[in-house]
């Protein structure tokens, strides 16, 4: 899944600001702990009342959020561990960036992740379950998804506490997971939600061109990326030796 925010019990790696609770309505309070960011930062937290409204859409009009703690580590979605009164386990709320903040090369990544779930049954036992997803923007002007909470600690936080002698076992397990994912066949080249491409070279070239356009859009020079895109188009026969679309994780590292 093309998302740089881990979804699990141990993702609270970022510095969350202490909170005394945010009043929502008479007689109720939420322990709301967003991560403080500059106004120009890419990620922008949603408000306590928005989180309450989301949870009432999913869990019923009487649902009351007890706490919402924003988790760090990820660089794309805003992620919250949310506890709802009467529910034994917390859930994970993930909120995509506002559409105007999304780059062309990262357009609607949450929707692509959601669409990929039916293709990932091979690792379903390791994945959170989707409780609800909403692209309507009726509640807030952003895509959002609620998923089950997974216990665990992120590898970047804990792997270093293990002897180096056991690291190969960890990475072999991760390699097997990646292999299982990469064995999944798809309907076309390119993002699972489109646009679809008939060849791998077309998908690679289009991706590089989109990244170059994003670089240009923030005032940087995308010329080098365009050179690579031109090279991919010129040498398309090499890329097109790949003839079968497969699920691809293109950002493998311990944070994911």
């Amino acid at each position: 899944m093309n998302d740089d925010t881990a979804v699990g019990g141990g993702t609270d790696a970022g510095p969350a600001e202490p909170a005394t609770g945010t009043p929502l309505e008479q007689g109720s309070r939420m322990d709301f702990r967003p991560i403080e960011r500059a106004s120009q930062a890419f990620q922008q937290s949603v408000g306590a009342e928005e989180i309450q409204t989301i949870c009432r859409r999913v869990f019923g009009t009487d649902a009351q959020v007890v706490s919402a703690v924003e988790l760090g580590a990820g660089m794309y979605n805003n992620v919250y561990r949310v506890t709802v009164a009467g529910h034994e386990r917390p859930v994970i709320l993930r909120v995509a960036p506002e559409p105007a903040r999304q780059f062309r090369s990262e357009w609607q990544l949450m929707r692509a992740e959601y669409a990929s779930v039916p293709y990932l049954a091979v690792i379903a036992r390791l994945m959170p379950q989707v409780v609800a997803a909403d692209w309507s923007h009726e509640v807030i002007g952003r895509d959002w998804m609620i998923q089950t909470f997974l216990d665990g600690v992120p590898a970047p936080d804990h792997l270093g506490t293990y002897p180096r002698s056991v690291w190969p076992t960890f990475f072999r397990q991760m390699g097997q997971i990646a292999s299982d994912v990469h064995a999944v066949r798809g309907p076309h080249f390119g993002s699972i939600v489109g646009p679809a491409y008939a060849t791998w070279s077309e998908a690679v070239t289009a991706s590089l061109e989109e990244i170059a356009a994003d670089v240009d859009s923030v005032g940087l020079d995308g010329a080098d990326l365009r050179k690579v895109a031109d090279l991919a188009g010129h040498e398309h026969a090499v890329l097109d030796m790949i003839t079968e679309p497969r699920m691809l994780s293109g950002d493998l590292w311990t944070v994911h």
Side-chain angles (χ1 to χ4, degrees), residues 189-240:
F189 291 105
S191 171
I192 198 163
V193 292
Y197 299 96
T199 65
W200 178 229
S201 64
E202 290 176 304
V204 171
T205 301
S207 176
L208 290 168
E209 289 174 344
E210 288 181 346
I211 296 171
D214 288 336
V215 170
D216 290 340
S217 72
V218 294
L220 301 175
D221 186 1
D224 287 348
L225 283 162
R226 288 194 172 83
K227 288 180 181 178
V228 178
D230 290 342
L231 180 62
H234 186 266
E235 301 295 336
H236 65 88
V238 176
L239 293 172
D240 290 337

Side-chain angles (χ1 to χ4, degrees), residues 17-251:
E17 290 293 317
T20 57
T22 300
L24 295 173
E25 56 187 42
Q26 189 173 5
S28 66
R29 297 181 70 86
M30 178 197 300
D31 181 15
F32 180 48
R33 304 185 189 184
I35 295 174
E36 299 296 332
R37 299 182 178 89
S39 59
Q40 67 271 22
F42 176 74
Q43 287 179 309
Q44 293 295 320
S45 181
V46 297
E49 291 186 3
E50 292 174 304
I51 293 175
Q52 179 68 82
T53 302
I54 288 171
C55 287
R56 285 183 173 167
R57 166 164 282 205
V58 175
F59 299 108
T61 56
D62 294 330
Q64 181 62 46
V65 175
V66 177
S67 68
V69 179
E70 187 171 4
L71 308 181
M75 300 171 63
Y76 191 75
N77 300 310
N78 293 89
V79 182
Y80 305 85
R81 184 178 61 240
V82 178
T83 301
V84 179
H87 291 254
E88 182 179 352
R89 303 256 313 159
V91 293
I92 295 295
L93 168 64
R94 300 168 63 217
V95 183
E98 296 175 359
R101 289 179 173 268
Q102 297 180 29
F103 290 116
R104 289 175 49 173
S105 59
E106 297 178 334
W107 183 248
Q108 297 182 342
L109 285 184
M110 184 176 287
R111 300 188 189 194
E113 177 183 341
Y114 180 81
S116 73
V117 171
Y119 294 91
L120 293 172
V122 67
I123 59 167
R125 70 194 185 283
L126 304 174
M127 295 172 56
Q129 296 179 358
V130 176
V131 177
D134 189 344
W135 318 145
S136 71
H137 294 191
E138 292 176 355
V139 179
I140 60 174
R142 298 160 66 173
D143 291 350
W144 55 267
M145 181 170 13
I146 289 181
Q147 296 173 287
T148 54
F149 180 88
L150 296 182
D151 293 315
V153 179
D157 294 348
H158 201 47
L159 183 59
T161 66
Y162 286 89
R164 291 291 294 249
S165 60
V166 305
W167 286 25
T169 300
F170 169 81
F171 285 108
R172 275 195 296 270
Q173 292 173 344
M174 296 304 295
Q176 183 59 58
I177 293 169
S179 178
D180 290 343
V181 171
H182 294 172
V184 176
R185 294 173 174 82
H188 58 255
F189 291 105
S191 171
I192 198 163
V193 292
Y197 299 96
T199 65
W200 178 229
S201 64
E202 290 176 304
V204 171
T205 301
S207 176
L208 290 168
E209 289 174 344
E210 288 181 346
I211 296 171
D214 288 336
V215 170
D216 290 340
S217 72
V218 294
L220 301 175
D221 186 1
D224 287 348
L225 283 162
R226 288 194 172 83
K227 288 180 181 178
V228 178
D230 290 342
L231 180 62
H234 186 266
E235 301 295 336
H236 65 88
V238 176
L239 293 172
D240 290 337
M241 292 173 67
I242 299 172
T243 59
E244 184 177 57
R246 299 286 187 96
M247 183 71 75
L248 178 64
S249 176
D251 200 4

